[in-house]
Amino acid sequence: MSVVEQYARARIVTPEDPLADAASVPVVLRYDPEADPDSVGVGLPGSLPGPRDWTFPRTLLEQGLRAPVEGGGIRVWPCGRVQAVVEFHSADGVSVVQFETKALLRFLRRTYTAAAPVAR
């Protein structure tokens, strides 16, 4: 099993954030099956409010691509046919990040490939 790390471009839609006007920013999607096979991680740019790195259940991301879901201070929902929104809540504020759904789907597929047992 290997760690999956994928860089994706995302749009910050939090109005009070200085990056909100930017076309897109780099975001890191992570999956480490040895650390926690049921969770994924998202690394956000440093200037956003709250924590930069979030870890949450992979099922939350999967389900949120089809219908709105929330758990542990994170909300995920589809935004039209080609985008998805992930909202991160902390005591420091809220960060709202918009992704292309295909980038998240590609990442999720890679997590299942990495977690698949190797046949011997």
Side-chain angles (χ1 to χ4, degrees):
M1 293 194 280
S2 61
V3 174
V4 174
E5 187 169 279
Q6 177 178 312
Y7 290 85
R9 302 296 292 177
R11 190 168 155 261
I12 306 302
V13 293
T14 307
E16 60 274 358
D17 190 272
L19 295 175
D21 293 331
S24 63
V25 296
V27 174
V28 180
L29 305 170
R30 290 187 195 98
Y31 174 71
D32 185 347
E34 291 184 18
D36 186 350
D38 298 324
S39 295
V40 293
V42 175
L44 300 174
S47 65
L48 294 175
R52 289 188 60 216
D53 293 305
W54 290 82
T55 301
F56 55 95
R58 178 169 52 179
T59 56
L60 189 71
L61 183 58
E62 288 174 313
Q63 293 170 359
L65 296 179
R66 293 185 301 276
V69 295
E70 68 178 281
I74 297 172
R75 293 180 183 153
V76 184
W77 67 90
C79 182
R81 291 183 179 197
V82 297
Q83 296 178 332
V85 175
V86 183
E87 189 175 278
F88 301 95
H89 292 258
S90 74
D92 297 325
V94 177
S95 296
V96 181
V97 185
Q98 188 173 35
F99 291 90
E100 285 191 18
T101 302
K102 67 181 177 181
L104 296 176
L105 287 170
R106 183 172 42 248
F107 170 69
L108 287 169
R109 274 194 303 273
R110 291 182 66 206
T111 68
Y112 282 106
T113 301
V118 177
R120 293 183 185 209

